[in-house]
Amino acid sequence: MSDRDVLLSMGFEATRVDWALKATGGRGLQPAMDFLVENENKPVPDLGSVTSAAPTTSTPAGGDMDVDDDEVEALKAIYGNKGGIEAQHAAAAADAAAEAKSIKCTDCGKIFKNTALAQFHAEKSGHDQFEESTEEVKPLTEEEKKQKLADLREKMAAKRAAKAKEEANEQRANEAIRRKSGKDMNVVREELKVKEAIKEAEAKRKEKLEDAKARAAIKAQIEADKKARAEKAAREKALREGKPFPDSGAAVTAPAAAAASSSSATSGVAGKDYPQTRLQIRLTSGQSYTTSLSSDAPLREVAEYLAGQTLAVDVETISFAQHFPRKNFTKADLSRSLRELGLTPSAVLIATP
């Protein structure tokens, strides 16, 4: 079975297997497996742009080493350029009797078949002390390959399990945050509803109280007028019959006093300083809104309130009217207060968007 078939049987994707084999230059199963583990979370690039690792360079016994510039740079990276790469090349050429069959990491004692594997080990482990060795890297037996595959599967399974656990913890944390945010928002909504209900109830109570006072004042005025008319009729009848009208001075002054009293009561109600004005606003489209505003607020604030309730209203083009008493408000009235327009303590407005 080829290295590609072994990697495919382990469950790796075909594109990743081809990438690993090309990137490691087909140096064997172990480099390909290490490459797949290291690049597990990276996207697979275009294989045409992948550069294969340099093949193993061997030196014939008794011959000279043929090392090009690229290999010199690789050797510099592996050996840390100790003593100069030129001196090492000269020493390797002079030592014709001993053929270098592998590269050994003096930090951990591992041996590698070629410089590419040694470079890969250096990048992964951080070791930088290497030397040539005559010890030959023996190929893995079937038992060792099976053990390697089992270890790799176990390692990948552990990584997947850790990642799944981390994602589950993150999902639980996000769900807890979402639930808390939803709960807090519901509490805020309930509090706003309660405050709005209290505010509306208070406004209705004040409106009823003011209406009751206004009705009482009007009733008093009507009674005073009735009494004044009755006294006036009795006085005129007494004069026609030539009879003296008892307490004429008091009778004359009494209606005036009653009228003055009722007039004072009426003017007191009319001139009372209402801090709030309750408005019922009806749109020509059929929608109706009720709100309470400051009596000193301009009529434009009513237009802005409607614009905040529905997108069909434009503050600059809306117009207002009143059916009783009949009145159409102009653009100039938008800057006048509700008190100045006679809309206090309550009024019904017709709004045309």
Side-chain angles (χ1 to χ4, degrees), residues 306-325:
L306 286 177
Q309 300 299 315
T310 173
L311 297 176
V313 172
D314 187 348
V315 177
E316 301 301 329
T317 59
I318 192 172
S319 61
F320 294 99
Q322 193 175 16
H323 283 344
F324 184 81

Side-chain angles (χ1 to χ4, degrees), residues 10-11 73 141 144 151 198 200 217-218 249 326:
M10 295 171 58
E73 293 299 324
T141 64
E144 291 174 336
D151 293 343
I198 294 174
E200 186 174 355
I218 293 172
R326 182 172 296 277

Side-chain angles (χ1 to χ4, degrees), residues 218-238 240 245 251-252 254-256 258-259 262:
I218 293 172
K219 186 176 180 180
Q221 177 67 38
I222 292 172
E223 293 296 330
D225 290 343
K226 285 182 178 180
K227 186 176 180 180
R229 285 195 298 271
E231 290 179 353
K232 182 178 179 182
R235 186 170 56 254
E236 290 177 350
K237 182 178 179 182
R240 284 195 304 269
F245 186 72
V252 171
S262 61

Side-chain angles (χ1 to χ4, degrees), residues 192-206:
L192 289 176
K193 286 182 181 179
V194 171
K195 290 181 180 179
E196 189 67 23
I198 294 174
K199 184 178 179 181
E200 186 174 355
E202 182 66 19
K204 288 182 178 180
R205 188 187 67 80
K206 288 183 178 179

Side-chain angles (χ1 to χ4, degrees), residues 18-74:
D18 294 337
W19 178 29
L21 292 175
K22 185 172 182 181
T24 57
R27 295 191 301 273
L29 182 62
Q30 181 62 39
M33 286 192 297
D34 291 341
F35 183 87
L36 286 171
V37 173
E38 292 295 327
N39 298 274
E40 179 182 4
N41 297 322
K42 295 181 181 179
V44 179
D46 183 8
L47 295 182
S49 62
V50 177
T51 303
S52 299
T56 306
T57 302
S58 61
T59 303
D64 293 333
M65 291 180 65
D66 185 13
V67 183
D68 56 19
D69 295 335
D70 292 337
E71 291 174 328
V72 170
E73 293 299 324

Side-chain angles (χ1 to χ4, degrees), residues 40 150-164:
E40 179 182 4
D151 293 343
L152 182 59
R153 288 194 182 102
E154 184 179 354
K155 182 178 180 181
M156 293 182 65
K159 289 183 70 174
R160 291 193 185 100
K163 186 175 181 180

